[in-house]
Amino acid sequence: ERAQVDDELAQRKVETLGVRRIHDLARSLAAAAAPDRFTRRCRAARSQRRVSVRPAADGMADLTAHLPVEQAVACYAALVKAADELAVRPEPLTRGRGQVMADTLVERVTGQALAGAVNVEVQIVVPVEALLDPTTQQPAEVPGHGPLPADLVSDMLTTNAGRKAWRRLVTRDGIVIGGDSRQRSFT
């Protein structure tokens, strides 16, 4: 089967193709050479679907969904459609296409009307110095995701229209060692 794929690749003018096109062509030829094996791999891969979050730089994170291709394409198409619908409205659009798609994803996954009004508990560890002295340069931190400027946390709390609550946590060296069992809401 490998020799068959190699022969078919050699018959094509792969030197005129880009790396991605060669990759796709090789995958297609391999699927055609061993269709039963390809079908088994595809069926097995569907059981590996998952969603993960990974920290990124500058207070951001990457949300990744590993989905069957038809589901992933359908999700992406729905986000593109939502961005297109906003783009044709008469009022000016103040966000870029990618921002609209990201906001739509957050709204649809969380069930909230606005991406900036998400009701979810996110642990943000803020040093007591940052609470007492707003001019401190000491950053807050989202455990497992990295630092955030303390003033950005303050902005998130004042501009987020969602429910706001706090819970006192006692930490030592960034590790939570105790705290309140209940959340307290605030305006």
Side-chain angles (χ1 to χ4, degrees):
E1 292 165 348
R2 288 180 184 161
Q4 178 185 345
V5 171
D6 287 343
D7 288 342
E8 290 185 42
L9 274 174
Q11 293 171 17
R12 311 281 175 118
K13 294 184 177 178
V14 293
E15 62 275 0
T16 64
L17 302 176
V19 173
R20 181 66 189 190
R21 298 280 308 270
I22 294 171
H23 177 266
D24 293 345
L25 176 61
R27 287 180 57 206
S28 294
L29 294 173
D36 293 338
R37 201 171 308 165
F38 176 65
T39 300
R40 282 195 306 274
R41 279 196 325 269
C42 287
R43 289 189 192 284
R46 288 174 177 264
S47 69
Q48 301 299 316
R49 62 191 180 278
R50 63 190 174 280
V51 177
S52 60
V53 65
R54 186 179 57 212
D58 302 325
M60 301 293 282
D62 293 323
L63 176 68
T64 303
H66 188 70
L67 303 170
V69 67
E70 72 279 3
Q71 293 176 1
V73 170
C75 290
Y76 189 78
L79 296 172
V80 167
K81 181 180 177 187
D84 290 345
E85 289 171 357
L86 269 180
V88 297
R89 289 189 179 170
E91 57 268 4
L93 191 57
T94 58
R95 300 173 288 166
R97 182 178 188 79
Q99 291 170 320
V100 170
M101 291 171 65
D103 291 347
T104 302
L105 174 69
V106 170
E107 291 160 4
R108 291 184 180 178
V109 170
T110 62
Q112 300 298 311
L114 297 171
V118 177
N119 291 330
V120 65
E121 181 174 314
V122 176
Q123 294 181 357
I124 302 174
V125 178
V126 182
V128 70
E129 295 82 7
L131 295 173
L132 298 175
D133 179 11
T135 63
T136 186
Q137 298 300 312
Q138 207 165 5
E141 183 163 337
V142 177
H145 292 277
L148 281 174
D151 60 336
L152 181 62
V153 172
S154 178
D155 290 348
M156 290 178 354
L157 293 175
T158 57
T159 60
N160 185 338
R163 182 177 159 267
K164 297 170 188 73
W166 62 278
R167 182 188 317 240
R168 286 183 296 189
L169 300 174
V170 180
T171 65
R172 177 180 295 141
D173 299 324
I175 298 170
V176 177
I177 59 172
D180 292 345
S181 61
R182 293 184 322 185
Q183 293 180 346
R184 304 188 192 289
S185 295
F186 64 95
T187 60

